[in-house]
Amino acid sequence: MSYKTKTVLRKSAVHALLWIIVAFCLFPVLWMSIISFKEVGESITGFNALRIQNPTLANYKRLFELIPIWTNLVNSAFTSIVGTVTTLFFCSLAGYAFAKFKFPGRNALFYFVIATMMISAEAGAVPLFVIMRRVGLVNSLWSLIIPRMATAIGIFYLRQYMLDVPDAILDSARIDGCGEFGIYRKVVLPIVKPALASWASITIIARWNDYFWPLLYLRDSSKYTLMVSVSMLPVSDGLSTPWQVVLSGTTLVIVPSIILYLIMQTYQKSGQVAGAVKG
Amino acid sequence: MWQTLKRHRYPYLFISPYLILFLVFQLVPTIATVYYSFTEWNGLRAPRWIGWRNYQLMMNDYMFSDAIRNTFRYWIVGAIGIMGLSLLIAMLLNSKVLRAKQFFRTATFLPYVCASVAMGLIFRMLFEEHAGLINEILLSLGGSRIPWLTSSAYAWIPVVILFVWRLTPWFTMIIFSGLLNISDEYYEAATVDGASGWQQFVRITLPLLNHILFFCFVTITVDAWRLFNESHILSGPGTSNTSLFELMYTSAFKNFKLGYGSALGVVLILILLGISLVQFMVRRRTGEI
């Protein structure tokens, strides 16, 4: 085989494999959106699912009757956005302190942050619920925001970027009489903007998709996030809700996160997200 | 002491929110979990101290051994599946002959964006015994229907497939950025020396991805032990595919055995603590921190 045929073969193999993988990635989502527009009477067995005769919005209408969609949507958006903004603020503040200040106990504290990075709060769910009840946050959206306002992993990730901020800039800002918080806000934050953006996109999607904590803390349907309401769809309409309706619910959950991801994708440069992991 | 605090007040101030939140929402709950694990408690009356009873119960509880077995399966099959697939996809994405790179990168990342709860509902229907697409495909290939979610033998499979499907893109991205950092010169030199593609993969790519692959393995391990959404939504009969974490949730918040649930929480904490220590020591030894 000549070098040229080899390259052509290789090129087609790479593309073919990737197309197969893309098909596996996209298929469940496409399948779901197609079925959500099918009439309840139509067959959705096996391959029939993919043929639509009369596209309809009836499933979505039914969905809006079954669960308080707008309220749940606002709840989800509120916790995702406020949760992301607060966690970005506190994590970057702590990350800045670890990266650019020398103070007694810094290394010990930083080791502590790393050592706790992998431990998840979920294991302590029983006492956490008790604490939340004591401070009156059960059934409040703040129960989803406050405990995660500063996380070890966020601090670790943002600190790695703060390390690259040149000390000279910080020192000259100090000489110009800028306060420490002012330096953080006006000098450091603008420099690490790309890192903040990529951390924000990961966090906001994770919060939108959050399920365990809202399931644990939120007690009535007017407080539910979209994720909790949708998860209860299969049993909410008497014994069973038609698949078409359930799938219109999952479509409403998934489509916003895909759109959000595509928007943020256009703002991001490659390879940033995983930058905290050194090779 | 006061002087030091005052002189370094800014960094301490900047870190204090994390320390306070950690204290209230992680350290105290963790210690309290250990305490509650030695009690019998239904959430209404005061907890009653019963010593090691919960742990003794656990040893004879088939639901606990089921949950451990299932979580082990999710961990091992998940780690192999996710690492294998993400390494493959990352290498394809990094291939020099690939066109439309950005499109493929975006498309292969999408599963990670989709909520596991919503995907769980979708998988429920895809794996349905009589109307699901998966069985329909099996039939048309000459196989027979498999009772995926209605038999104890198969119920763990859809869960692990969903776990792998949703997490692979994340690790693909991490490994891909690792591949970007490997200089082309290594491969060029190896090609000149006549090394085959496979040899280059084993001798250059894998050793240079060492740290990253280790990091991926640790993260997958943690994700597998705290798996909840997938098995909760795709639940099979009884505890046939219940994860350890889900069993904790059910015991504590559905059956109101808060003491027993806490004991399961302690087991989880010990496992996560062990993983955390291992990764910490490895990171220290390799000079990463």
Side-chain angles (χ1 to χ4, degrees):
Chain A
M1 240 188 317
S2 75
Y3 179 74
K4 209 176 160 192
T5 19
K6 235 177 158 173
T7 323
V8 171
L9 265 179
R10 185 172 207 203
K11 195 171 165 180
S12 11
V14 166
H15 284 84
L17 261 175
L18 270 175
W19 273 116
I20 294 171
I21 291 161
V22 168
F24 271 100
C25 292
L26 301 186
F27 177 76
V29 178
L30 290 175
W31 182 81
M32 154 195 87
S33 358
I34 291 173
I35 291 185
S36 75
F37 291 107
K38 280 177 75 113
E39 278 178 353
V40 172
E42 274 183 67
S43 167
I44 47 169
T45 316
F47 294 105
N48 291 330
L50 300 171
R51 283 186 289 268
I52 309 189
Q53 266 112 38
N54 313 304
T56 171
L57 284 174
N59 303 319
Y60 287 91
K61 227 178 256 164
R62 186 86 193 87
L63 183 70
F64 277 74
E65 290 160 15
L66 278 175
I67 51 176
I69 289 276
W70 291 114
T71 319
N72 297 157
L73 198 71
V74 170
N75 291 347
S76 275
F78 175 79
T79 45
S80 308
I81 293 169
V82 177
T84 303
V85 171
T86 48
T87 204
L88 273 184
F89 174 69
F90 288 110
C91 289
S92 61
L93 207 56
Y96 172 50
F98 278 123
K100 288 292 154 190
F101 285 90
K102 283 196 176 61
F103 52 93
R106 180 181 75 165
N107 287 348
L109 279 171
F110 188 61
Y111 284 161
F112 179 76
V113 168
I114 292 171
T116 59
M117 211 157 69
M118 299 287 172
I119 300 175
S120 54
E122 285 99 329
V126 173
L128 265 173
F129 187 81
V130 176
I131 292 175
M132 284 300 177
R133 202 165 53 183
R134 192 86 30 104
V135 293
L137 284 180
V138 163
N139 211 13
S140 154
L141 295 175
W142 289 101
S143 65
L144 307 174
I145 297 169
I146 294 171
R148 288 177 289 178
M149 282 196 304
T151 61
I153 183 110
I155 293 171
F156 178 74
Y157 175 76
L158 290 169
R159 171 199 172 259
Q160 303 297 88
Y161 281 90
M162 306 272 186
L163 286 175
D164 295 337
V165 175
D167 287 321
I169 300 183
L170 304 179
D171 287 336
S172 63
R174 267 180 208 122
I175 292 165
D176 290 343
C178 200
E180 290 299 333
F181 188 76
I183 295 175
Y184 157 78
R185 204 168 57 86
K186 289 182 201 141
V187 182
V188 178
L189 281 192
I191 297 178
V192 296
K193 226 185 208 163
L196 289 175
S198 59
W199 191 244
S201 63
I202 294 167
T203 310
I204 199 164
I205 287 170
R207 295 292 167 90
W208 176 268
N209 293 344
D210 200 11
Y211 179 60
F212 178 72
W213 296 115
L215 184 69
L216 183 64
Y217 291 141
L218 306 177
R219 298 279 122 182
D220 49 60
S221 60
S222 66
K223 286 290 178 187
Y224 284 166
T225 58
L226 200 51
M227 214 55 69
V228 177
S229 286
V230 167
S231 80
M232 291 173 176
L233 269 180
V235 284
S236 63
D237 192 14
L239 263 181
S240 66
T241 311
W243 283 16
Q244 285 89 335
V245 179
V246 176
L247 290 181
S248 63
T250 58
T251 309
L252 273 190
V253 163
I254 287 178
V255 167
S257 51
I258 290 182
I259 292 174
L260 192 68
Y261 164 66
L262 292 178
I263 292 171
M264 294 211 252
Q265 190 63 16
T266 56
Y267 285 107
Q268 272 177 38
K269 294 191 192 78
S270 61
Q272 261 161 8
V273 177
V277 191
K278 282 198 202 158
Chain B
M1 170 77 183
W2 185 242
Q3 280 297 315
T4 337
L5 268 180
K6 204 174 165 196
R7 197 148 58 91
H8 298 284
R9 62 186 178 282
Y10 284 108
Y12 288 127
L13 195 67
F14 290 172
I15 294 168
S16 57
Y18 167 73
L19 292 176
I20 294 166
L21 289 171
F22 180 85
L23 188 79
V24 179
F25 295 109
Q26 285 217 290
L27 194 63
V28 170
T30 305
I31 294 168
T33 305
V34 176
Y35 166 71
Y36 288 141
S37 78
F38 292 105
T39 66
E40 188 185 4
W41 187 27
N42 61 8
L44 298 171
R45 266 168 292 155
R48 191 169 63 90
W49 185 268
I50 54 166
W52 293 92
R53 185 100 58 81
N54 283 326
Y55 293 93
Q56 282 158 359
L57 283 174
M58 201 190 285
M59 287 305 116
N60 299 316
D61 184 0
Y62 75 93
M63 293 198 277
F64 175 69
S65 49
D66 273 6
I68 290 280
R69 179 202 63 205
N70 295 332
T71 314
F72 230 87
R73 276 177 180 161
Y74 300 147
W75 175 34
I76 300 299
V77 179
I80 295 171
I82 294 171
M83 299 207 24
L85 279 172
S86 48
L87 196 57
L88 171 74
I89 300 173
M91 295 202 22
L92 289 172
L93 289 174
N94 194 37
S95 165
K96 276 198 197 57
V97 291
L98 184 67
R99 299 277 159 268
K101 271 189 191 179
Q102 196 54 48
F103 162 75
F104 282 114
R105 282 188 55 191
T106 308
T108 53
F109 190 74
L110 278 183
Y112 185 72
V113 176
C114 302
S116 48
V117 171
M119 291 317 299
L121 292 171
I122 296 171
F123 271 51
R124 248 204 121 72
M125 295 169 190
L126 284 172
F127 282 95
E128 216 274 336
E129 189 181 348
H130 299 289
L133 189 65
I134 305 285
N135 273 347
E136 216 64 32
I137 292 173
L138 283 181
L139 275 183
S140 70
L141 292 176
S144 52
R145 292 184 191 280
I146 292 177
W148 294 108
L149 289 166
T150 41
S151 81
S152 342
Y154 298 104
W156 67 281
I157 297 175
V159 174
V160 89
I161 292 179
L162 177 56
F163 182 59
V164 171
W165 184 84
R166 218 184 76 81
L167 284 187
T168 297
W170 176 255
F171 295 98
T172 301
M173 187 185 61
I174 290 173
I175 294 175
F176 178 75
S177 61
L179 288 175
L180 288 180
N181 286 334
I182 301 179
S183 158
D184 282 338
E185 285 168 31
Y186 294 116
Y187 295 108
E188 280 157 17
T191 314
V192 171
D193 291 343
S196 70
W198 176 250
Q199 280 173 326
Q200 293 185 15
F201 174 71
V202 174
R203 295 286 167 82
I204 301 173
T205 315
L206 283 186
L208 286 174
L209 284 180
N210 215 340
H211 288 180
I212 288 190
L213 292 177
F214 173 73
F215 171 85
C216 290
F217 181 71
V218 170
T219 317
I220 295 169
T221 307
V222 174
D223 286 340
W225 284 95
R226 48 190 274 209
L227 183 140
F228 175 82
N229 299 357
E230 289 86 345
S231 70
H232 190 66
I233 301 287
L234 287 169
S235 58
T239 43
S240 58
N241 65 0
T242 307
S243 70
L244 183 56
F245 181 34
E246 195 194 351
L247 184 64
M248 181 197 94
Y249 175 80
T250 321
S251 312
F253 298 105
K254 289 266 176 276
N255 304 335
F256 300 104
K257 289 193 250 171
L258 289 126
Y260 190 64
S262 299
L264 294 169
V266 169
V267 173
L268 263 173
I269 291 171
L270 289 177
I271 291 169
L272 293 171
L273 206 63
I275 301 164
S276 195
L277 279 179
V278 169
Q279 64 101 19
F280 180 74
M281 278 172 349
V282 171
R283 274 186 198 237
R284 258 200 99 157
R285 204 160 46 163
T286 54
E288 225 182 299
I289 49 173

